[in-house]
Amino acid sequence: MDNKHIEETYQLLIELIQNKCINPPGDEMKSIRTIEKFLKSKRVSCKIFESAKNRANLVAVIPGTNKEDSGLIFGPSHVDVVPVTKPDDWKENPFGGVIKDGYIWGRGTLDMLFIVASQVQAFVLLSQEKFKPKGDLVLFIVADEETGGVWGADWMIKNHSNELSINNRKMFAVTEAGGVQISKDKFVIINGEKGATSLKLKFQGTPGHGSAPYSSDNAVHKVSKAALYLTDYCDNKIPIDTTFIRNLVKGLGMNFILRSLITNKKLLPIILKILNKKDPEMPKVLHSLSRMTISPNIIQGGKKINIIASEASLEIDVRTLPGQDYDYVVFHVKKALKELADEVIIKRVEAEEGIASTGTASPVESDFVTAMKNAIRKDFPNASLVPLIASGATDGRFLREKNVDTYGFALFNPETPMNEIVSLAHGVDERISLKTVELSLNVYYNLAKEFL
Ligand SMILES: [Zn+2]
C-alpha cells in the first residue's frame, strides 16, 4: 500500500478522535460528516441516514455485476466512543489524536475508530480504481454501538435494510473485535458472540424479632443460599456444550491428547480446576465458552438490624451461548435453585449497559473465511485463523439475526499482546499502533478483492 494512502488513513482516524463522539449522547453526526467530506473529496458518493437529532449513519455501495453472487459489508462500524472517566491518568490528551512512539493515542482508537478509518479508505481505493465486484460491496458506518445500537445498526436494519443489500442476496460482514495473534501466525477471528440476560430474583420471608431467630423464615437466608446454588450449578451441573471450545483448540493446533481432554464434557470441570492452579485466564475462557454462565452480582435485603428480613433480592448476570433462549435461562435458573424454585419471583431487568441480547454465531468455515485467510496471507504467508465466540455483545448480532454471516476481524501488528487490547479498550491510554492501521487497511482491501 502506498504511503500517501496510509497517511490519509491516519489523518482520518485523528479527525474522528478529535470529533469526540462520546456516547451518551453520541452526537455522531460530526464524524459522519467528516467521513462524507472525505468520501466526497475522493469523488465517492454516499447516503446519510439521520436516526435522531445529531445522530446519523452512513452507507456507500459499489454495486455488484452479478445478481446471484454474495456481497460484502464493511461494518457495521461505529463512530461513537465511551466516555473518559479519568483524563488525568492519561499520558496524552484522550481527544488530541497525538501520534507518539508508533501509536495514535485517543479514546476510541482501538474501539473501533481505526477500523472505521481503514474500511473507509479501503472502500475509497477500490472505488477509485474502478473495482468491479461480483456481489455488492457496502460501506456501513453507524452511530450508537456503545449503548446498544438503538439509533445505529439496529435502527438501520429495521428502517433501511434495502440499502444494505441484505434482502436480495447473501451477504457477509466484517466488523470489530478479532485479529490478534493468539500464537505465532494464528489469528483470532470472532465468529459469534454470547447473549446477555439480566435477572432479578426476589424472595419473601416472615418478619419477626431479631432477638429470636430460631427456625425463622428469613429472606436473607434464601438469597444467600440462592447465590451459592447458582454458582455451584454453573460450575458443576449446567449442561456443557463443547462446540465453541472445539473450534478454538482445533484452530490453535493443540495436540490430540490435550484436545480430547479439554473437549470431553465429563472431564472439563476437572481440567478447569487443574488449569486454574497454573493460570486462571485460560480456564475462565474455557468455562465461559462451554456453557451458559451465571454470575450473582448484586444482593440486597432486610430493612432494620433487629427485624428478621421479610424481603431480599439477588441480581444475576446470565450469559448464554448461541441458540440458548430465555426459556432455557429460566429453566436452568429454577433448576439451580432447587427447593427455592417454587417461591422465587423472577424478573427481567435492564442490563447495566442497556444491552440484552441473544447469542449468535456464523459458520467457522466458508468461502468467505477462506477469502479472509488468503487476504491475511498477503502480509503473513503462514497465517491461519482461530475462531472464537466473544463474551460481550457487538453490533454484529443485528446482522447475524438477519442471516448475514458476520465476523470480527482487523489485522493487528503481531507484536500486540492480547492483554493490551483487553485493558486498553474503554481504558486509560487507549491507543492503536500505526502498523495495525496499515495492516488493517491492507486486509480489508485484499479481502474485497479475494472475495468479490
Ligand atoms: Zn466497539
Side-chain angles (χ1 to χ4, degrees):
M1 193 72 60
D2 195 307
N3 267 338
K4 176 177 158 252
H5 298 138
I6 300 166
E7 198 57 44
E8 283 174 352
T9 316
Y10 297 156
Q11 289 311 319
L12 176 60
L13 169 55
I14 290 169
E15 206 173 322
L16 295 174
I17 299 164
Q18 291 170 343
N19 283 344
K20 256 177 124 166
C21 294
I22 301 167
N23 188 8
D27 290 337
E28 295 91 343
M29 187 57 101
K30 232 192 208 166
S31 282
I32 293 296
R33 291 288 180 213
T34 297
I35 294 167
E36 181 194 36
K37 195 180 73 198
F38 184 83
L39 292 171
K40 272 193 175 157
S41 74
K42 308 288 182 187
R43 297 174 196 283
V44 176
S45 55
C46 64
K47 281 192 193 172
I48 290 177
F49 302 87
E50 198 170 344
S51 52
K53 193 168 180 290
N54 267 328
R55 314 199 72 172
N57 307 279
L58 179 148
V59 175
V61 183
I62 304 177
T65 52
N66 189 344
K67 275 200 182 81
E68 313 297 316
D69 273 292
S70 304
L72 170 62
I73 298 174
F74 284 162
S77 295
H78 66 90
V79 292
D80 60 320
V81 303
V82 295
V84 170
T85 46
K86 292 180 175 170
D88 296 341
D89 292 358
W90 284 61
K91 291 198 192 80
E92 301 297 332
N93 174 359
F95 297 101
V98 177
I99 300 186
K100 208 182 122 191
D101 303 332
Y103 285 86
I104 299 178
W105 297 64
R107 172 56 85 230
T109 43
L110 187 57
D111 180 12
M112 65 177 284
L113 301 178
F114 85 100
I115 297 179
V116 173
S118 36
Q119 290 188 334
V120 168
Q121 179 69 314
F123 188 90
V124 163
L125 297 176
L126 291 158
S127 308
Q128 285 187 327
E129 66 184 54
K130 307 266 184 286
F131 174 57
K132 295 255 176 296
K134 285 180 270 160
D136 297 351
L137 175 64
V138 179
L139 176 68
F140 181 28
I141 307 296
V142 298
D144 199 30
E145 192 270 349
E146 298 292 358
T147 59
V150 180
W151 305 108
D154 191 18
W155 186 86
M156 281 298 290
I157 290 163
K158 280 184 180 136
N159 296 287
H160 299 283
S161 60
N162 276 334
E163 306 287 339
L164 304 170
S165 304
I166 61 179
N167 303 325
N168 49 9
R169 63 167 91 223
K170 175 67 187 166
M171 294 296 283
F172 293 79
V174 57
T175 179
E176 67 180 321
V180 183
Q181 283 195 39
I182 196 164
S183 64
K184 187 160 169 45
D185 287 326
K186 297 189 187 310
F187 294 85
V188 170
I189 183 168
I190 300 293
N191 72 303
E193 59 193 47
K194 291 190 80 174
T197 309
S198 302
L199 297 179
K200 189 168 193 168
L201 312 180
K202 286 188 180 176
F203 295 93
Q204 312 277 336
T206 311
H209 204 282
S211 63
Y214 184 68
S215 81
S216 61
D217 176 32
N218 189 329
V220 163
H221 289 166
K222 295 175 190 172
V223 277
S224 318
K225 258 191 184 173
L228 297 174
Y229 281 170
L230 288 162
T231 302
D232 176 54
Y233 187 79
C234 172
D235 291 348
N236 302 309
K237 294 169 193 132
I238 206 162
I240 288 175
D241 177 347
T242 54
T243 316
F244 303 103
I245 297 190
R246 210 172 284 273
N247 295 340
L248 173 67
V249 295
K250 195 174 157 216
L252 279 175
M254 217 176 250
N255 77 53
F256 179 75
I257 299 175
L258 203 54
R259 219 157 96 186
S260 14
L261 287 175
I262 288 184
T263 54
N264 182 307
K265 289 183 194 181
K266 287 218 171 73
L267 291 178
L268 186 64
I270 304 162
I271 303 280
L272 291 182
K273 277 183 193 148
I274 296 168
L275 290 175
N276 200 37
K277 287 188 183 140
K278 276 178 139 186
D279 170 16
E281 282 315 308
M282 191 59 174
K284 254 191 224 314
V285 174
L286 296 175
H287 180 269
S288 108
L289 274 181
S290 61
R291 69 201 69 203
M292 169 179 113
T293 59
I294 306 169
S295 185
N297 294 340
I298 301 177
I299 197 160
Q300 277 171 322
K303 288 235 159 53
K304 207 162 177 294
I305 195 154
N306 61 357
I307 300 175
I308 286 164
S310 61
E311 258 181 28
S313 69
L314 176 65
E315 283 168 66
I316 60 177
D317 179 2
V318 182
R319 304 294 172 122
T320 50
L321 289 174
Q324 300 173 340
D325 59 9
Y326 187 66
D327 289 345
Y328 181 93
V329 173
V330 173
F331 175 82
H332 284 287
V333 165
K334 285 198 162 175
K335 205 167 164 201
L337 291 175
K338 298 196 261 194
E339 79 279 4
L340 297 171
D342 292 337
E343 52 176 309
V344 67
I345 301 160
I346 301 179
K347 271 208 170 132
R348 236 176 151 151
V349 289
E350 288 292 321
E352 192 146 302
E353 312 92 293
I355 293 171
S357 62
T358 46
T360 54
S362 298
V364 294
E365 273 168 43
S366 65
D367 289 351
F368 177 80
V369 177
T370 306
M372 176 73 92
K373 214 182 301 172
N374 293 337
I376 303 164
R377 285 182 178 163
K378 303 251 187 238
D379 281 292
F380 300 92
N382 300 315
S384 63
L385 288 168
V386 181
L388 190 66
I389 296 282
S391 52
T394 72
D395 278 341
R397 71 186 189 279
F398 299 117
L399 282 179
R400 280 192 208 99
E401 281 164 8
K402 294 288 173 198
N403 203 23
V404 176
D405 290 343
T406 303
Y407 300 86
F409 197 84
L411 192 51
F412 278 84
N413 181 356
E415 278 134 49
T416 316
M418 185 85 119
N419 54 13
E420 178 176 309
I421 292 167
V422 176
S423 64
L424 292 183
H426 295 201
V428 171
D429 289 337
E430 185 175 349
R431 59 191 183 274
I432 192 81
S433 84
L434 295 170
K435 188 75 195 162
T436 299
V437 181
E438 181 187 340
L439 288 169
S440 298
L441 170 59
N442 288 351
V443 88
Y444 296 132
Y445 174 88
N446 290 325
L447 172 66
K449 293 221 149 171
E450 287 288 332
F451 184 61
L452 296 174

